[in-house]
Amino acid sequence: MHIRYGFDIEMQFSQPTTLITVLDVHPSRRGDIVREQDLSALSNHPTQAHIDSFGNLSRRIHVEDGFLHLHCDGIIRDSGEPDKAVQRARILPIMALPKEALIYLQGSRYCETDLLADFAWKHFGEITDGWQRVQAVTDFVHSHLSFGYEHASATRSALQALEQKVGVCRDFAHLAVALCRCLNIPARYCNGYLGDIGVPADPAAMDFSAWFQAYLGGEWYSFDPRHNQRRIGRILIGCGRDAADVPMISSFGRHSLSKFEVVTELAAEEQEAASA
């Protein structure tokens, strides 16, 4: 299966400004890219790319002239299979975890494990199987929070999402991440592309999506409390402790957003084949 992905973003600045972006497809998926118009080649601004401390492909872009146009259009190869599910995947003892996973047991900016631990153990502590425990957390968050773009807040934490019972996909992910960490399961926040492939089309404008990964049985597995489905065509961009680690655009100066469009869909030739 081939999936088209990309974005068109325009920003205005009142003074010379530097940005840091995490908008490129994650290094773990770059080997699947069939073709891609490079983001930096179209920006016409000094750009430096690097791998950040969480393994994401990040860029520093300096804007002198007050206008920035970021554009990406690519095709990626995908298995066409839903997110992997391994019911027997178990919780590893903390002493058996790789050192790289330990940071994902700790509280972070949006995931207050110290304030949610009692709640987590009370509601999920009796579930001993790893996969079933993470799925129970996912089921709970999916049913507990009401989704709506009108509920978007850049500062809402996991605890606040639990109390307010509303949010967008990042809030669903933050609450699930925090609860899993309270239960001694490493969990990390993820964002990227998720098109309406294999599911009814959503009439809302396309946007980037957020989900989370839990570390079970020596592997990272994706869970999606917003949709609570094993979805097809998930394309990872970035992962970290929470959204503070992987902001798609960090601007070190005042700006306004004049255009923001995201596309994720079956490549044109596959759409034609599906409709034939």
Side-chain angles (χ1 to χ4, degrees):
M1 172 185 289
H2 291 84
I3 299 172
R4 180 183 172 223
Y5 65 91
F7 54 81
D8 215 3
I9 300 172
E10 293 181 357
M11 303 174 70
Q12 307 280 345
F13 302 86
S14 58
Q15 62 187 29
T17 304
T18 298
L19 299 89
I20 296 178
T21 68
V22 183
L23 286 166
D24 293 83
V25 171
H26 193 267
S28 64
R29 291 299 308 272
R30 296 202 66 79
D32 296 324
I33 293 175
V34 177
R35 66 165 178 82
E36 183 182 66
Q37 287 186 323
D38 185 66
L39 183 152
S40 63
L42 297 176
S43 68
N44 298 318
H45 299 281
T47 303
Q48 298 174 347
H50 67 278
I51 302 298
D52 69 17
S53 57
F54 295 97
N56 308 307
L57 178 51
S58 181
R59 298 177 188 264
R60 280 184 288 182
I61 303 173
H62 187 70
V63 182
E64 284 282 351
D65 60 9
F67 176 77
L68 178 65
H69 178 205
L70 297 173
H71 176 79
C72 179
D73 187 13
I75 299 290
I76 194 167
R77 186 183 304 106
D78 191 85
S79 69
E81 298 294 324
D83 297 321
K84 189 176 180 181
V86 179
Q87 301 290 331
R88 66 181 182 278
R90 61 190 181 89
I91 301 170
L92 293 181
I94 293 175
M95 289 296 291
L97 292 172
K99 63 180 183 298
E100 296 81 8
L102 296 178
I103 192 173
Y104 297 110
L105 285 173
Q106 300 172 358
S108 55
R109 165 66 178 84
Y110 294 107
C111 300
E112 314 101 318
T113 53
D114 55 339
L115 302 178
L116 288 165
D118 288 345
F119 179 91
W121 284 105
K122 177 180 177 181
H123 286 79
F124 309 105
E126 293 184 0
I127 305 171
T128 57
D129 291 335
W131 188 274
Q132 286 69 31
R133 180 180 280 182
V134 178
Q135 187 59 58
V137 167
T138 303
D139 292 343
F140 168 78
V141 174
H142 177 75
S143 62
H144 185 76
L145 301 187
S146 295
F147 178 88
Y149 289 111
E150 69 275 17
H151 303 313
S153 169
T155 60
R156 182 182 291 116
S157 69
L159 177 62
Q160 291 170 330
L162 178 69
E163 294 173 341
Q164 297 169 10
K165 300 183 180 181
V166 296
V168 292
C169 56
R170 65 177 257 160
D171 302 304
F172 284 69
H174 282 152
L175 180 53
V177 163
L179 293 174
C180 285
R181 290 179 187 170
C182 290
L183 299 163
N184 298 337
I185 300 170
R188 62 189 184 187
Y189 175 91
C190 302
N191 60 26
Y193 298 96
L194 182 63
D196 299 324
I197 299 174
V199 298
D202 188 335
M206 183 64 66
D207 198 351
F208 294 111
S209 188
W211 61 92
F212 80 100
Q213 293 178 342
Y215 193 78
L216 296 168
E219 290 189 43
W220 290 103
Y221 294 98
S222 293
F223 291 82
D224 190 340
R226 159 70 179 97
H227 299 100
N228 204 15
Q229 289 179 275
R230 314 309 294 175
R231 292 286 293 268
I232 297 171
R234 202 180 297 276
I235 305 172
L236 181 65
I237 289 178
C239 58
R241 293 169 298 182
D242 58 32
D245 290 333
V246 282
M248 292 188 146
I249 300 176
S250 297
S251 175
F252 297 89
R254 297 185 64 180
H255 70 276
S256 60
L257 189 66
S258 54
K259 186 177 184 180
F260 183 87
E261 296 177 356
V262 178
V263 61
T264 318
E265 60 189 11
L266 286 174
E269 59 272 21
E270 302 212 15
Q271 291 187 28
E272 294 173 2
S275 61

